Each structure stands twice: as C-alpha cells, then as structure tokens.
Amino acid sequence: MTKDDKRKLTAQIDVWPPNAAFAADWNSLLEQTSFASAFDHLEWIEIGVGQFTKDAKILPCRFLDQEGTLACMGIFRMTEESGKILPRTVVRTIEFNSQRITPFIGADQQTTAEAIVALHEAINKPVDSFDFFKLDPQGGTLEKLSSILEAKAVPHSLEVFNEQPYFPLVGTWVEYLSDRTQGHRKRIRRYTRKLWEKYPDYHFTRYQSKTDFTEESFSSVMEEILALFDASWQAEALAEENALEDLKSFYQQVATVFLEKGLLDLCTLHCDHTLIAFELNLVYHGSVHMLFGAYNRDYADWSPGNAILSEIIQDSYKKEYEKIEFGGEYLDYKKLWTKSMAPSYHLRVHGNTLRAKIKKIIDR
C-alpha cells in the first residue's frame, strides 16, 4: 500500500440529538460549503428526523484529518430495507422532500471521497450499501468525485435520480413574457387579471420576517393556511396513508424555526375575503425553494395555483433572486412556466457483506 492509498480521514460518530459542540461545528462548516442549500441546515434535519424517522439509527459524523483537524461533516441514518430474500442493511442520506442536497458539508470532492472511505470503515457492522440520494450536481463536480472513488478502488455507481424543474430569474419579468408566444403571454397575464377584475379585494402577501406579520400574527396565518390544506386534494391522499398530521406538524415546525433564522418565505393569495392559495417556501443564497402549498378547490376555475406562482415569480424578479426551485415532485401546471431542469443524483457505494461483494463482481 502506498502513502496515497492510506486512509487520510477518520470518521467519528457522535450522539443524536446533536449537542451544542456538534451544532457549532456544523454551522461553522456550513458557511464554508460552496453548494450548501437550506436543506443542509441542522434544524431542517433535526425536525425531519424527529417527525419522520423517530426509530432510525442516526449517525452524526465528524471527519478528521491526520492532525485531528475537522475536515467535513455529515449526518446519515442506518436502516433495514427489504430485499428479494433477506433484508438489506443500508447507510443512507437523510432527505424529507425532493430538493437536492449536499450530504457532506465543508468539503471539496477529494475530501468527500476520503470521507466516504472513512465512513465505510467506521461502521462496525456489515453494511450492504451506502446510498447517497438526491445529490446536487455541485457545479458538475460529482463526476470528479466518481473519478476519485474509482482511483481509490471504491466500487460504486453514480446515476441520475430525477430531474427537478427550476425557474431561472434571468433578466426581467417583461423580458420573460416577451420570449413567450402571444397566446402564452395572454394566458399568463390572465391568471391574475381575471381574479383582480372579479374581486377588488384581491391581494398577494409575502411574509419573510417577523415584521411582515403586522395586522395578523404568525400563528393565525399558519392556522389559515393549514385549514386550507386540510380541504385540499393532497390532504385527502395523505389522510388515506395516515400521513397528514405528520406532514402538517413538520411544516409547522419548519415555518416556526426558519422564520427565526430569516429564511422563511410564506406566500398567500386572498380574494373574495377568502384564502385561495398559499405556498410555504424557504429562501437561501438567492434561491427560492418551493416546499408546501395548496389552493382552494372552490376557486379552481380561476387557476389560483398559477395565479400565486405568477405573483411569486414577479416579486422574486423585484427582489433580484437568482432562481426558483420547484423540486422533483411538483404539480403538472408548473411545467407551463419553465423548461429548465437540473438533475439530482444517486451515489451508491457497495458495502462489505457477501451480498455486496457479489454485487461488486456482477457490476464489473
């Protein structure tokens, strides 16, 4: 074994929930991570784990170099997944929606590759695979990560997991419309104009800080949007799966915590003295991440979902944001607004079980 082949990082698995020292290290590295998003914030992960993965084994990891200096961090979960014959033991990323993530923070791809090797060696039980889902392409550098892993003789695969639409806020709203066909322009303008003409009390509101909640309290706005969600078709589907209350509780907590962090973007559309649509988003580093929304089915003929999206896009141009991320699971009507797509990736590193070794041979 040459010097370059030796492990350069050591993984230390910490306790969960994270203590103050882990949180401080995480927040410090997050500021140094080039492709970090709102979903790399420790609070997002903590809320999701508490709501959706209560019984999972969570692995908060520090990765230290040979001098003991912190190089990068990550949080993963160990789970049992059903296999064709026997269950599989998997260490995987933590993700609660369709947005792209960066599983290792504070790391370039060389460091990430070394951290993957260190994580592989730190788990003291047989693992079939290490699965990193919904990875951000990180400016196209994931291919470099794959090359580094290959050079380290780490068997793995890197595939597109899904494609996620986004709206690039390039130029101005007027220029965006000018690039559309005449029929498309009329259709887009009609979404808001018809509602405004019919209902003089039509108004769009965007809450992003505590001071935006002037006449209404934060709690009353949240009660209103959750009541609308309860009457939506999405809620009907979730209720059948017994998942409705968990999802609502998750976004209630996200809204509360991220309002304090200054990253909440809560948009509402009212007319006829009624809430007809809402979108709960996060804004981070110039990107609007759309997460959770619904429209009033009594006003479906007026396309309230498109109306509020039009308002969000126009206001985001004014605020000089860079893009609006629609996410991977989105309603079909959003396809009308953009053809821009960004891939997310699934990186699988084979484990150390007999089944994993056989899989390595098959994949060669």
Side-chain angles (χ1 to χ4, degrees), residues 194-212:
K194 289 179 67 177
L195 280 166
W196 181 82
E197 290 174 349
K198 176 70 174 178
Y199 302 107
D201 68 333
Y202 170 94
H203 64 281
F204 167 73
T205 308
R206 196 165 197 174
Y207 305 93
Q208 295 185 319
S209 70
K210 290 182 178 180
T211 58
D212 292 334

Side-chain angles (χ1 to χ4, degrees), residues 96-164:
F96 310 110
N97 70 346
S98 300
Q99 302 283 359
R100 299 184 299 280
I101 63 172
T102 305
F104 294 89
I105 63 168
D108 56 26
Q109 298 301 10
Q110 180 68 40
T111 306
T112 297
E114 292 166 359
I116 289 172
V117 173
L119 178 64
H120 197 291
E121 296 183 6
I123 305 300
N124 58 5
K125 65 173 293 184
V127 174
D128 290 293
S129 66
F130 296 78
D131 284 306
F132 306 98
F133 287 104
K134 303 177 186 177
L135 302 192
D136 188 281
Q138 300 175 40
T141 61
L142 273 182
E143 292 182 2
K144 179 180 178 181
L145 171 60
S146 183
S147 297
I148 296 171
L149 289 174
E150 188 171 337
K152 290 178 173 293
V154 177
H156 69 283
S157 61
L158 180 65
E159 300 175 345
V160 172
F161 179 75
N162 66 12
E163 289 192 324
Q164 301 178 8

Side-chain angles (χ1 to χ4, degrees), residues 161-175:
F161 179 75
N162 66 12
E163 289 192 324
Q164 301 178 8
Y166 69 95
F167 189 106
L169 293 162
V170 178
T172 66
W173 171 249
V174 172
E175 290 170 343

Side-chain angles (χ1 to χ4, degrees), residues 31 61 78 81 155:
E31 294 302 314
C61 298
M78 183 177 289
E81 298 181 354

Side-chain angles (χ1 to χ4, degrees), residues 1-98:
M1 179 179 291
T2 67
K3 183 178 180 180
D4 289 339
D5 291 329
K6 294 180 180 178
R7 182 179 55 170
K8 296 181 179 180
L9 294 183
T10 301
Q12 290 185 351
I13 299 176
D14 214 311
V15 298
W16 187 264
N19 56 31
F22 187 92
D25 286 343
W26 185 277
N27 291 332
S28 176
L29 280 183
L30 184 62
E31 294 302 314
Q32 304 172 39
T33 304
S34 300
F35 297 98
S37 77
F39 312 105
D40 296 310
H41 282 260
L42 187 58
E43 294 88 346
W44 172 271
I45 298 171
E46 286 186 278
I47 294 169
V49 168
Q51 195 65 50
F52 299 121
T53 57
K54 301 179 180 69
D55 299 325
K57 181 176 177 58
I58 307 301
L59 307 173
C61 298
R62 287 184 177 90
F63 298 93
L64 309 177
D65 66 17
Q66 292 169 323
E67 284 73 43
T69 303
L70 182 64
C72 70
M73 300 176 74
I75 301 175
F76 311 96
R77 64 186 173 100
M78 183 177 289
T79 184
E80 297 290 327
E81 298 181 354
S82 59
K84 292 182 179 178
I85 301 175
L86 297 172
R88 302 172 62 250
T89 300
V90 177
V91 172
R92 58 172 293 168
T93 41
I94 296 175
E95 71 283 333
F96 310 110
N97 70 346
S98 300

Side-chain angles (χ1 to χ4, degrees), residues 11 29 31 47 181 190 219 264-265 282 337 347 350:
L29 280 183
E31 294 302 314
I47 294 169
T181 64
R190 189 164 58 241
S219 59
L264 179 65
D265 180 43
L282 298 178
W337 292 90
L347 172 65
H350 296 303

